[in-house]
Amino acid sequence: MRPEKDHERDMEIMVAEAPVADFRRAAVDLHKLLEPSAIAVIGASEDTKKVGGEIVANLKLGGFTGQVFPVNPRSREICNYPCFSSVLDIPVAAELAVVAVNAPQVPAVIRQCGEAGIPLAVVLSSGFSEAGKPGAVLQDELNRAIAESGVRVVGPNCIGLMNVGRRMFCGFGPGFRNYALATGPVAMVTQSGGFGFSVVGLCNHQNLRFSKIISTGNECDVSTADIIDHILDDDEIRVIVAYIEGVKDGRRLLEVGEKALERGKPILCWKVGNSNVARAAVASHTANLSAPYELFKAAFASSGFIEIREIEDLVDVARGFLGGKIPKGRRVAVVTTSGGSGVLMADRCDEAQLTLPPPTPSLLDRISAMLPPHSAVANPIDLTAQVGNDAGRFNRVVKVFAEDPAYDQVLVRYGAVQSPNAPAWAEELASIARNTEKPLLVAWSRVPDRSSQALIILEKNSIPWFVTPGRAVTAAGALADFSSRRQVLSRSRRAESTAFKKIHLNLPPAAGSLGEGASKRIVRAYGIPTVEEKLLSLAEIGELKKSPFQFPVVMKVESPHIPHKTEAGAVITGIRSLSELKKGAQKIVASAQEYRSDAAIEGVLLQQTCLGTELILGAFVDECFGPVVVLGLGGIYAEILKDVTRRFAPISETSARDMILELKAAPIFKGYRRMPPLDIDALAVAISRLSYLIVHHGSRIREIDINPLFVGSAGNGVVAADALVILNAASAPGAHRMD
Amino acid sequence: MRPEKDHERDMEIMVAEAPVADFRRAAVDLHKLLEPSAIAVIGASEDTKKVGGEIVANLKLGGFTGQVFPVNPRSREICNYPCFSSVLDIPVAAELAVVAVNAPQVPAVIRQCGEAGIPLAVVLSSGFSEAGKPGAVLQDELNRAIAESGVRVVGPNCIGLMNVGRRMFCGFGPGFRNYALATGPVAMVTQSGGFGFSVVGLCNHQNLRFSKIISTGNECDVSTADIIDHILDDDEIRVIVAYIEGVKDGRRLLEVGEKALERGKPILCWKVGNSNVARAAVASHTANLSAPYELFKAAFASSGFIEIREIEDLVDVARGFLGGKIPKGRRVAVVTTSGGSGVLMADRCDEAQLTLPPPTPSLLDRISAMLPPHSAVANPIDLTAQVGNDAGRFNRVVKVFAEDPAYDQVLVRYGAVQSPNAPAWAEELASIARNTEKPLLVAWSRVPDRSSQALIILEKNSIPWFVTPGRAVTAAGALADFSSRRQVLSRSRRAESTAFKKIHLNLPPAAGSLGEGASKRIVRAYGIPTVEEKLLSLAEIGELKKSPFQFPVVMKVESPHIPHKTEAGAVITGIRSLSELKKGAQKIVASAQEYRSDAAIEGVLLQQTCLGTELILGAFVDECFGPVVVLGLGGIYAEILKDVTRRFAPISETSARDMILELKAAPIFKGYRRMPPLDIDALAVAISRLSYLIVHHGSRIREIDINPLFVGSAGNGVVAADALVILNAASAPGAHRMD
């Protein structure tokens, strides 16, 4: 039983520069999708009960001002539009085709659109990948038609799209027959047409108005991310709403989320299909595969996506952003006329990680003079009903908080909004708002109908208002999150120049796990320290006169076939004598052989015992999101207590540091009780290095586990005590396009 | 340095039966509070801008049908009611006094009420404990007047109360001038009058109607819990809403919460003042001390309190309960006409710990026949817009799910509610609802105004409906939680006969920490096993020829003055030789002396090394909630990762088991991966025993920490490796009245 060293020989490491992969895909030009001058409706019908009839009727009745060309060989005229027997007969080049023919005809129709020079098509027809295997075959055929014709396709299996401002009601179903819909600064991109339009209806009822609504269906070509990307450049749109069940390219989603931060436009997002049971439902509803929710959450947390759960969240957060002001930080002042509301808002601020700095002495001076004696000046400040009835006095206090540099946002809850002086109060508040760059949010707590005059004044002045104090805090929290993420993004962009250069690894060509020694050499090649160790055969151990390392030592079986050594009884820790060592080596080899009789055993690895806190650091290539790095508290705690944080590779050392401090166990790193702080610097370097390792070699390396990684106290570094690398085969078709 | 054994001598343990303390206080008779035949208004005024004027006007204009007796020596008539110069002059015995005089006069007025035979008073006057030190003195005086007169008092510093059905608008502020308010089956008890009435107004706007509203102010006598207790017996009320900043008697709150479960009436509760900053705001707003939020959460989780955060939650959960049906379990069927809604509801069910059992073969058979071919029969089931337009077919499917014993609730989201056949659909649904005991909840997803006819039909038939699918799930979750808690309560009530008998402990009279040995003897007296150990002096250790226990052993300094031994460097674990043992003993004694030079060192405790999983098990007496037991994963994880669960003592073994399985680390107990399951039985016994120990001796024992408690694999028991008992002085005034 001599250790086989094939892997080692294969793995001579060459240090060299190599290009870093680029994950970004080319964006689709969707310029004409929502602004076409001419639309061809292929599969148009005189029967408005059919989809192809309803579309033409909706374009007509909605008042679309562009040209409409119905296509149907059996009709001469539909809704007074002359009808063509083929898309090739249309006299001008339509800029958009809407396709409502039967599924099997769709690929041929797309090819015809290509011949006719139509760059974009929306396919409403269903019967594709959502309809089992025959449908999936048809969708493959459609994809070929798309690739060969160059036509870009939205759908299939969608319900259409709408541009309210252009009176383009281009779809079917009850949502499209609401011609009275008023336009506004919000857009919706939805993978569920029915759900999306019910949201539009409910929001409209609360004065939140949409201008552009796109249902994306199966997304065989143009994706939710492509459409969001396009809309982010649309000056008319200031808030985007998305309903997402799953995406095929998570990286692209992250990319448009970052663009949203840059543009200052939030994407308010329902991400559904997150539970196992919901994933089953998604699978039968669309053909998308949902990546685990945790990765979506990680993508959202570093970009402009703000998760919402209910219509109320959507309305509130959108109102906050439509105010047009992004706070500089998380510090909030709360001015109320009800102690109860103040307490509730303080709780909610705490939950939203908004801080409530107490008034400074100079602020105290200015405010105290405005209040009756014995009033408690604090933050939240309760001006009581007494001051609340004096709108002027109330607003003087608001103005002082708004002017104080210690606060980034001011939340106001005014109790006397039903009184006749409410409009005057609102006008005054508007003049305060005009003179500050800080968001000024108003909680109303009254039935809106009774205060409509004041509300109109607030709305005219872009002052966001909310039905309850808690809902005002929801909006304030979202604004602060958006601002924080924008700061983090710009910081990490600045840090990107520290990218680690690619190091060539000669990896063995076959798929499968590497042994511990081989795995550690890869980790070491990227500059992550590994434990001192020696691989010996049982015979060599039998002949030892002294331990190669100071006791206590650790001992493990080295085998590429036993990735989970503890489970196999192939590890002993805390060995304190030579006789323990010799006996132990026999025992673990026997255990390993019993655990898996065909395991190739390459020897016994003797290691120095590591000191420090146990972590697990890993990286893998996700089908949807590409290379991901995972960090967790070690042992079983990461798994059971779910104290795990995730980031998309590559990761700068700055971002790695954020990642560490995101763990619930972060207090341990900062020095808990009398324990010394841990070496965050060294850990951040290790995280960043591992992230480049998976980026550079993600086409071959499917997964890397460093478990445990020991982190010493500050200055004492990190050391990988074990590592496991799992490879794809050299030509694995599932490998991510990266290398 | 001989061990001092004073504590040991004091602590001879006598096993004997002793009575178990009773935490329950006598309830107040509030019968006349909301149903008085005659009200005296003391401090009445002819000026309706004054509180004492507004009250009388509100009683008059609101249409109160009982007698009203204004009391003011300077008036002859107020609002056409003859006025009296003193409460003693009123010809009949008023059943309720409303007091609006200046604060300093209030105590005398209460005494007069006593003389006049008025059993209850509502004190609106402010200037008591909410107003700093002079106010607190006045409140003490008020408390003496209450005790001596026998009059029970609501307030002071409240805004009054309302019984809409009796037209009793008995308070001041804008909320009381809304005479058009319609009555309904909901009651509100609120510590913030302003906030409470804004909630009533907003709910009323959504057709959720209140009949009884009580603002409780400073609660110097009658508490929120007293009033809830009373209202739970009121047949007119089916749902109670509470706004709570803090309570003085948490046990009583828990008790009424349990009564709520028994009565089948939920208490929908805003618990605010939970963050540190909010607690500061509460302190200046009312005089209550908020117990840490975690204890409130523990009390809610085992009783009929359902926490809410927003008006929408309140409206939805109340609607769910007003349907009048409590589900038997957590199994839900979801029937939709939109895949998107189904996916969203599945996610939300998962979050709410509702399960979605897939259809059984027999159910599949029944339903498949009703659907077009190729429809996916699942749960959630998406009947698509096609079936959605056929109300009859849709409801046939709903009926099959409602009849199937595999489901406890049915959630329906019907897409075609704007169609002309919606009323017929609603009628049919009502007939299904009449024939089932299961809650049938309807998600609407449309602007209510457009479907009002169908909604009226649902409301008439007590079918709860919701604006969005997510909100329907919120209600379903609350119904299931209420049902689960009711089952747990009845199970633990049945188990109560297993109460552990009191064991007398002769505790030393002084306050302070006991040493480890003394602490462990107490723990052992209640049957919790402790580690085998031996207390030796340094000299005795120096003379040892062999270790008293098998290596590895643990060694600690024994001193009542060093409760945190690890911090003091006074612990060594894993000692494997006699020489290590001798050197180590010198070292830890030196460390301990350096850590605290005046510490009395009683020796060095040698212990067997324990095996198993480390937990922390503790008990303490909370000022507000009384004796509490806390269980957490050991080491720093309980504190940092907050994997901790809490229960109020005494705790049956059955409840202790629930407590263990509530930990996030519960998978470890059940046997994680290849690890054996832990001894849950033995741990449950230990928890229950500790709970009786703190119940029996809570007047002296302030706190007990068993840290670590090692739990072995199933059958191998638990063992306390360390314990710390902290005593109150024998006559400590702060001690809870229990023993």
Side-chain angles (χ1 to χ4, degrees):
Chain A
M1 199 196 78
R2 298 283 322 163
E4 295 165 31
K5 300 217 168 174
D6 289 353
H7 284 166
E8 199 165 358
R9 258 179 280 122
D10 280 347
M11 275 188 38
E12 286 158 34
I13 286 154
M14 300 182 296
V15 177
E17 258 185 72
V20 176
D22 187 357
F23 306 106
R24 298 176 192 184
R25 292 179 185 174
V28 188
D29 180 7
L30 296 175
H31 183 59
K32 297 296 177 190
L33 181 66
L34 289 154
E35 313 270 350
S37 58
I39 303 176
V41 180
I42 305 168
S45 168
E46 291 173 48
D47 179 357
T48 56
K49 285 193 181 132
K50 291 189 176 164
V51 168
E54 197 181 331
I55 300 278
V56 180
N58 285 337
L59 285 169
K60 185 69 164 191
L61 298 170
F64 180 60
T65 53
Q67 287 177 285
V68 176
F69 299 105
V71 176
N72 184 336
R74 285 177 307 277
S75 295
R76 294 194 51 193
E77 195 185 84
I78 296 176
C79 288
N80 297 332
Y81 298 116
C83 191
F84 298 84
S85 58
S86 156
V87 70
L88 294 166
D89 298 339
I90 299 174
V92 303
E95 290 174 333
L96 177 68
V98 177
V99 180
V101 298
N102 286 336
Q105 297 171 260
V106 172
V109 163
I110 294 300
R111 287 175 202 273
Q112 284 178 346
C113 289
E115 285 174 53
I118 302 178
L120 286 167
V122 175
V123 178
L124 310 178
S125 326
S126 59
F128 291 89
S129 65
E130 83 284 3
K133 215 158 178 189
V137 170
L138 210 52
Q139 190 158 320
D140 286 343
E141 208 183 312
L142 172 56
N143 281 333
R144 274 193 300 277
I146 290 168
E148 288 163 20
S149 66
V151 177
R152 301 307 301 255
V153 166
V154 173
N157 188 32
C158 72
I159 68 167
L161 47 85
M162 195 185 276
N163 179 345
V164 181
R166 286 283 309 273
R167 314 304 303 158
M168 176 181 166
F169 289 70
C170 183
F172 66 101
F176 284 92
R177 290 193 293 269
N178 188 4
Y179 308 126
L181 213 58
T183 191
V186 186
M188 155 85 77
V189 184
T190 177
Q191 293 185 338
S192 164
F195 187 84
F197 275 93
S198 84
V199 168
V200 169
L202 289 167
C203 288
N204 199 53
H205 189 60
Q206 296 188 53
N207 281 347
L208 185 73
R209 311 223 183 263
F210 290 72
S211 58
K212 286 158 187 169
I213 304 152
I214 302 101
S215 132
T216 63
N218 291 4
E219 302 192 8
C220 78
D221 178 23
V222 175
S223 70
T224 290
D226 292 329
I227 294 173
I228 293 175
D229 189 1
H230 173 68
I231 292 177
L232 283 169
D233 292 328
D234 183 339
D235 291 338
E236 200 181 275
I237 299 301
R238 291 161 59 205
V239 168
I240 298 170
V241 177
Y243 169 94
I244 299 177
E245 293 181 355
V247 298
K248 284 170 190 143
D249 186 351
R251 271 305 161 129
R252 175 121 172 76
L253 199 72
L254 175 61
E255 190 186 65
V256 299
E258 290 180 350
K259 179 172 170 179
L261 283 183
E262 289 163 346
R263 292 285 193 277
K265 298 178 185 181
I267 305 162
L268 313 189
C269 175
W270 260 281
K271 171 66 188 79
V272 300
N274 307 321
S275 61
N276 282 334
V277 57
R279 266 202 285 279
V282 169
S284 72
H285 180 238
T286 81
N288 286 323
L289 180 75
S290 285
Y293 184 38
E294 282 68 28
L295 294 182
F296 279 98
K297 282 201 285 192
F300 296 166
S302 63
S303 76
F305 283 89
I306 294 173
E307 260 196 287
I308 47 170
R309 287 167 58 86
E310 275 301 342
I311 301 288
E312 284 68 34
D313 300 342
L314 165 54
V315 169
D316 295 338
V317 176
R319 277 190 185 159
F321 278 94
L322 291 174
K325 292 170 181 172
I326 305 283
K328 292 214 164 49
R330 309 194 72 89
R331 303 164 310 163
V332 170
V334 174
V335 185
T336 76
T337 52
S338 144
S341 307
V343 175
L344 183 139
M345 287 165 98
D347 272 353
R348 297 285 289 267
C349 283
D350 191 60
E351 285 174 30
Q353 293 176 286
L354 297 169
T355 62
L356 290 163
T360 56
S362 70
L363 188 86
L364 277 177
D365 274 357
R366 288 188 66 189
I367 289 181
S368 300
M370 302 173 185
L371 300 183
H374 307 301
S375 288
V377 182
N379 182 23
I381 185 167
D382 172 10
L383 298 179
T384 74
Q386 214 183 336
V387 175
N389 286 324
D390 179 350
R393 187 138 66 137
F394 183 90
N395 277 344
R396 283 196 292 281
V397 174
V398 171
K399 187 160 182 275
V400 173
F401 276 101
E403 287 170 358
D404 195 288
Y407 304 100
D408 302 309
Q409 301 192 62
V410 181
L411 270 54
V412 169
R413 194 247 178 213
Y414 184 58
V417 291
Q418 281 174 280
S419 75
N421 62 8
W425 171 80
E427 287 287 5
E428 257 184 40
L429 201 68
S431 93
I432 298 173
R434 274 191 293 275
N435 289 304
T436 177
E437 289 184 350
K438 299 173 188 174
L440 188 63
L441 310 185
V442 177
W444 212 246
S445 301
R446 288 286 180 272
V447 178
D449 313 6
R450 298 211 193 131
S451 341
S452 50
Q453 219 189 326
L455 290 183
I456 289 167
I457 295 166
L458 294 184
E459 285 184 358
K460 264 192 193 149
N461 287 280
S462 298
I463 297 177
W465 65 269
F466 306 90
V467 178
T468 69
R471 292 173 60 174
V473 178
T474 300
L479 288 170
D481 287 348
F482 194 86
S483 168
S484 302
R485 293 175 191 175
R486 201 147 69 153
Q487 288 162 26
V488 169
L489 179 67
S490 92
R491 192 154 47 87
S492 76
R493 291 251 159 110
R494 282 200 304 278
E496 259 176 21
S497 56
T498 62
F500 193 72
K501 287 174 185 168
K502 180 166 179 176
I503 290 169
H504 279 286
L505 307 170
N506 275 335
L507 299 169
S513 307
L514 299 181
E516 177 172 342
S519 296
K520 276 193 201 141
R521 281 189 292 278
I522 291 176
V523 163
R524 214 154 45 224
Y526 269 77
I528 299 171
T530 57
V531 66
E532 271 198 66
E533 63 191 13
K534 205 159 180 179
L535 183 63
L536 298 171
S537 66
L538 271 189
E540 285 166 341
I541 287 174
E543 289 155 20
L544 281 178
K545 295 282 175 270
K546 64 184 286 266
S547 165
F549 306 109
Q550 215 192 324
F551 292 118
V553 300
V554 175
M555 197 164 65
K556 302 168 179 174
V557 171
E558 168 84 357
S559 165
H561 302 124
I562 303 181
H564 300 295
K565 289 183 279 274
T566 306
E567 281 188 21
V571 180
I572 302 181
T573 61
I575 293 168
R576 292 185 182 244
S577 71
L578 198 61
S579 70
E580 267 187 69
L581 193 157
K582 292 182 178 185
K583 266 188 283 178
Q586 303 277 358
K587 193 178 144 193
I588 59 174
V589 168
S591 285
Q593 282 164 336
E594 195 184 315
Y595 180 76
R596 184 168 163 181
S597 59
D598 64 340
I601 290 176
E602 304 180 346
V604 172
L605 207 57
L606 292 182
Q607 296 176 341
Q608 214 174 21
T609 296
C610 300
L611 293 174
T613 299
E614 267 189 53
L615 300 182
I616 175 168
L617 175 63
F620 65 95
V621 179
D622 181 74
E623 275 192 10
C624 177
F625 279 96
V628 178
V629 173
V630 175
L631 175 72
L633 203 59
I636 52 180
Y637 298 108
E639 280 175 71
I640 291 186
L641 301 181
K642 303 197 168 51
D643 190 18
V644 175
T645 165
R646 298 165 184 84
R647 280 277 193 302
F648 303 104
I651 302 169
S652 68
E653 287 170 26
T654 313
S655 296
R657 190 178 287 275
D658 292 340
M659 194 175 170
I660 297 165
L661 297 177
E662 240 171 56
L663 285 172
K664 289 181 215 136
I668 298 178
F669 287 88
K670 294 182 197 156
Y672 189 66
R673 293 206 160 178
R674 290 171 153 244
M675 300 191 298
L678 302 184
D679 201 332
I680 296 180
D681 293 341
L683 179 57
V685 170
I687 292 169
S688 179
R689 296 290 174 84
L690 185 70
S691 81
Y692 282 102
L693 170 51
I694 195 79
V695 166
H696 296 155
H697 299 284
S699 64
R700 292 299 323 285
I701 296 180
R702 200 170 71 198
E703 202 178 324
I704 310 173
D705 244 13
I706 303 178
N707 184 19
L709 176 77
F710 284 91
V711 185
S713 54
N716 287 309
V718 300
V719 58
D722 196 353
L724 170 64
V725 169
I726 303 176
L727 299 178
N728 294 314
S731 58
H736 208 264
R737 287 156 286 168
M738 275 189 313
D739 211 282
Chain B
M1 199 196 75
R2 294 285 322 163
E4 294 166 32
K5 300 218 166 173
D6 288 353
H7 284 167
E8 200 166 357
R9 257 179 279 123
D10 281 346
M11 274 188 36
E12 285 158 31
I13 286 153
M14 299 182 297
V15 177
E17 257 184 70
V20 176
D22 187 358
F23 306 104
R24 298 176 190 183
R25 291 180 186 173
V28 188
D29 179 8
L30 295 175
H31 183 59
K32 296 297 177 190
L33 182 66
L34 289 154
E35 311 272 350
S37 58
I39 302 175
V41 181
I42 305 169
S45 168
E46 292 175 48
D47 179 358
T48 56
K49 284 193 182 133
K50 290 187 176 164
V51 168
E54 196 179 332
I55 299 277
V56 182
N58 285 337
L59 286 168
K60 186 67 162 190
L61 298 171
F64 180 59
T65 52
Q67 289 176 285
V68 176
F69 300 106
V71 176
N72 185 336
R74 287 178 306 279
S75 295
R76 293 194 50 195
E77 196 185 85
I78 296 177
C79 287
N80 298 330
Y81 299 116
C83 191
F84 298 84
S85 59
S86 156
V87 71
L88 295 165
D89 299 339
I90 298 174
V92 304
E95 290 175 333
L96 178 68
V98 178
V99 180
V101 299
N102 285 336
Q105 296 171 257
V106 172
V109 163
I110 293 299
R111 288 175 202 276
Q112 284 178 349
C113 289
E115 287 175 51
I118 302 178
L120 286 167
V122 175
V123 178
L124 310 177
S125 325
S126 57
F128 291 89
S129 65
E130 83 284 3
K133 215 161 177 185
V137 171
L138 210 52
Q139 189 158 320
D140 286 344
E141 210 182 312
L142 173 56
N143 282 332
R144 276 193 298 278
I146 290 168
E148 288 163 20
S149 66
V151 177
R152 302 305 303 256
V153 166
V154 174
N157 188 32
C158 72
I159 68 167
L161 47 83
M162 194 185 276
N163 179 345
V164 181
R166 288 283 310 272
R167 314 303 306 158
M168 176 183 167
F169 290 69
C170 184
F172 67 101
F176 284 91
R177 290 193 293 270
N178 188 6
Y179 308 125
L181 212 59
T183 191
V186 186
M188 155 86 75
V189 184
T190 177
Q191 293 184 340
S192 165
F195 187 83
F197 275 93
S198 83
V199 169
V200 169
L202 289 168
C203 288
N204 198 53
H205 189 61
Q206 296 188 53
N207 283 347
L208 186 72
R209 311 224 182 262
F210 290 71
S211 59
K212 286 157 188 169
I213 304 151
I214 302 102
S215 132
T216 63
N218 291 4
E219 300 191 10
C220 78
D221 179 21
V222 175
S223 69
T224 291
D226 292 328
I227 294 173
I228 292 174
D229 190 1
H230 173 68
I231 292 177
L232 283 169
D233 292 328
D234 183 337
D235 291 337
E236 200 179 276
I237 300 300
R238 292 162 58 203
V239 168
I240 298 171
V241 177
Y243 169 94
I244 299 177
E245 293 181 353
V247 299
K248 284 169 190 145
D249 187 350
R251 271 302 162 131
R252 175 121 173 77
L253 199 72
L254 176 60
E255 192 186 62
V256 300
E258 289 179 350
K259 179 172 169 178
L261 282 183
E262 288 163 348
R263 292 285 193 278
K265 298 178 184 180
I267 306 163
L268 313 189
C269 175
W270 259 280
K271 171 66 188 77
V272 300
N274 307 322
S275 61
N276 283 334
V277 57
R279 267 201 284 278
V282 170
S284 71
H285 180 237
T286 83
N288 286 321
L289 180 77
S290 286
Y293 184 38
E294 282 68 28
L295 294 182
F296 279 97
K297 282 200 285 191
F300 296 165
S302 62
S303 76
F305 283 89
I306 294 173
E307 261 197 285
I308 47 172
R309 288 167 57 87
E310 275 301 342
I311 302 287
E312 283 69 33
D313 299 343
L314 164 54
V315 169
D316 294 338
V317 176
R319 278 190 185 158
F321 279 93
L322 292 174
K325 292 171 180 170
I326 306 282
K328 294 214 162 47
R330 309 194 71 88
R331 303 165 310 162
V332 170
V334 174
V335 184
T336 77
T337 51
S338 142
S341 308
V343 175
L344 184 139
M345 288 165 98
D347 273 353
R348 295 286 288 268
C349 283
D350 190 59
E351 284 174 31
Q353 294 177 286
L354 297 169
T355 61
L356 291 163
T360 56
S362 69
L363 188 86
L364 276 177
D365 274 356
R366 288 188 66 189
I367 289 181
S368 299
M370 303 174 183
L371 300 184
H374 307 303
S375 288
V377 182
N379 181 23
I381 185 167
D382 172 10
L383 297 179
T384 74
Q386 216 184 332
V387 175
N389 286 323
D390 178 350
R393 187 138 65 138
F394 183 89
N395 277 346
R396 282 196 291 282
V397 174
V398 171
K399 188 158 181 276
V400 173
F401 276 101
E403 286 171 359
D404 195 289
Y407 303 101
D408 303 308
Q409 302 192 62
V410 181
L411 270 57
V412 168
R413 194 246 177 213
Y414 184 59
V417 291
Q418 281 173 278
S419 74
N421 62 7
W425 171 79
E427 287 289 6
E428 256 184 40
L429 202 67
S431 93
I432 297 173
R434 274 192 292 275
N435 289 304
T436 177
E437 290 184 350
K438 298 174 189 175
L440 188 63
L441 310 184
V442 178
W444 212 246
S445 302
R446 288 288 180 272
V447 178
D449 313 6
R450 297 209 193 134
S451 345
S452 50
Q453 220 190 323
L455 290 183
I456 290 168
I457 294 166
L458 294 184
E459 285 184 0
K460 266 193 191 150
N461 287 280
S462 297
I463 298 178
W465 65 268
F466 306 89
V467 178
T468 68
R471 292 173 60 174
V473 178
T474 300
L479 288 169
D481 287 347
F482 195 85
S483 168
S484 302
R485 293 175 191 175
R486 201 145 71 153
Q487 287 162 26
V488 169
L489 179 67
S490 92
R491 191 153 47 86
S492 75
R493 291 252 158 109
R494 282 199 303 277
E496 257 175 22
S497 56
T498 62
F500 193 70
K501 287 175 185 170
K502 180 166 179 175
I503 290 169
H504 279 287
L505 308 170
N506 275 336
L507 299 169
S513 306
L514 298 181
E516 177 171 343
S519 297
K520 276 193 202 141
R521 279 189 293 278
I522 291 176
V523 163
R524 216 155 43 223
Y526 269 76
I528 299 170
T530 57
V531 66
E532 269 198 67
E533 63 192 12
K534 205 160 183 180
L535 183 63
L536 297 171
S537 66
L538 270 190
E540 285 167 341
I541 288 174
E543 288 156 18
L544 281 178
K545 296 280 177 272
K546 63 180 288 261
S547 165
F549 306 108
Q550 214 194 325
F551 292 118
V553 300
V554 175
M555 197 164 63
K556 302 168 179 176
V557 171
E558 169 83 357
S559 166
H561 302 124
I562 302 182
H564 299 294
K565 290 183 278 273
T566 306
E567 281 189 21
V571 180
I572 303 182
T573 62
I575 293 168
R576 294 191 180 236
S577 72
L578 198 61
S579 69
E580 266 187 69
L581 193 158
K582 292 182 179 188
K583 265 186 284 179
Q586 303 277 358
K587 193 177 145 195
I588 60 174
V589 169
S591 284
Q593 282 165 336
E594 194 184 318
Y595 179 76
R596 185 166 162 184
S597 57
D598 64 341
I601 289 176
E602 302 180 348
V604 172
L605 207 57
L606 293 182
Q607 296 177 341
Q608 214 175 21
T609 296
C610 300
L611 294 175
T613 299
E614 265 187 58
L615 300 183
I616 175 168
L617 174 63
F620 64 96
V621 180
D622 182 74
E623 275 191 11
C624 177
F625 279 96
V628 178
V629 174
V630 175
L631 175 72
L633 202 59
I636 51 179
Y637 297 108
E639 280 176 71
I640 291 186
L641 300 183
K642 301 198 169 50
D643 190 17
V644 175
T645 165
R646 297 165 185 85
R647 279 278 193 301
F648 303 104
I651 303 168
S652 68
E653 288 169 24
T654 314
S655 296
R657 191 178 287 274
D658 291 341
M659 194 174 170
I660 297 164
L661 297 179
E662 238 170 59
L663 286 172
K664 288 180 214 136
I668 298 178
F669 288 87
K670 294 185 198 156
Y672 188 67
R673 292 203 160 178
R674 289 169 155 245
M675 299 191 299
L678 301 185
D679 200 332
I680 296 180
D681 293 341
L683 179 57
V685 170
I687 292 169
S688 179
R689 295 292 174 84
L690 186 71
S691 81
Y692 282 101
L693 170 51
I694 195 79
V695 166
H696 296 155
H697 300 284
S699 64
R700 292 299 323 285
I701 296 180
R702 200 170 71 198
E703 202 179 323
I704 310 173
D705 244 14
I706 304 178
N707 183 18
L709 177 76
F710 284 90
V711 185
S713 54
N716 286 308
V718 302
V719 58
D722 196 353
L724 171 65
V725 169
I726 303 176
L727 298 178
N728 295 313
S731 58
H736 207 264
R737 288 156 285 171
M738 274 189 313
D739 212 282

